Amino acid sequence: MSGESKHLIAAARELAAQVDRLKFKPPVTHIYNPLDYAWAAHEKYLRKFGDGKKRVIFLGMNPGPFGMVQTGIPFGEIAAVRNWLKISAKIGEPAQYNPKRPVLGFDCPNSEVSGRRLWGLFAERFGTPDKFFKEHFVANYCPLAFVEKGGLNRTPNKLPPSEKNPLLKICDEHLHRVLEILEPEWLIGIGGFAAVRGKVVAEDLKIQVGQILHPSPASPKANRGWAKIATKELQQPGVWK
């Protein structure tokens, strides 16, 4: 394990401990932190793919209910994690969880569309994870998933300022640390929220910040050939050839 992996693991442990101290009020009733109950898988990811400096870092917002919430991997669609990244681990469950949003780990029957699209594009373009991770890395800005009483997923940008601001401070500091460790040329926000936080954090580092369309099926545009659109968005500024 190289210095980068070791530093990423230490930074992720610190991030998990810091966000665990935060408090959130209704409509959020349950907080899922995969860096706690799915740590075994997340650590494997950092250990396996965090080595060496990276040219491009892709940044997501926070865990999706059928992705990182289940596998501990950013955009962690189960088939992609198991079959392409070749990561499997025992996944625990949050101390308190909403029965409408169970954590079934690798037994979860649902497929996260965003993750399937993202990792699918990388698999198609690079063939093997080793080729992709030689220059690239995928991270999430916020490690927490916020669940409402009815099972709805609430994104961090929808939290009230009194809850959001302390969270942003911690996540900004962690992202800054990741950028210092991996020294990328590019930070690419997957969607608007991640791109905005990336611009704020990367301001004092000589890193270019870009953005691609989020692969979520909630976006009508993403449902009309997301991979093609994202590839174009990466080729135009010269991130990809």
Side-chain angles (χ1 to χ4, degrees), residues 138-156:
V138 180
N140 261 341
Y141 172 75
C142 168
L144 300 178
F146 305 92
V147 183
E148 298 180 8
K149 191 179 178 181
L152 269 182
N153 192 41
R154 177 165 281 251
T155 49

Side-chain angles (χ1 to χ4, degrees), residues 11-24 30-39 63 93-96 142-146 163 166-167 170-171:
R13 280 192 183 282
E14 174 65 16
L15 173 66
Q18 286 184 316
V19 294
D20 279 344
R21 292 195 279 268
L22 297 174
K23 296 278 184 279
F24 301 91
H30 296 80
I31 305 294
Y32 291 36
N33 185 354
L35 297 188
D36 292 335
Y37 64 84
W39 175 252
E93 50 184 40
Q96 293 180 308
C142 168
L144 300 178
F146 305 92
E163 295 174 4
L167 176 68
I170 292 168
C171 295

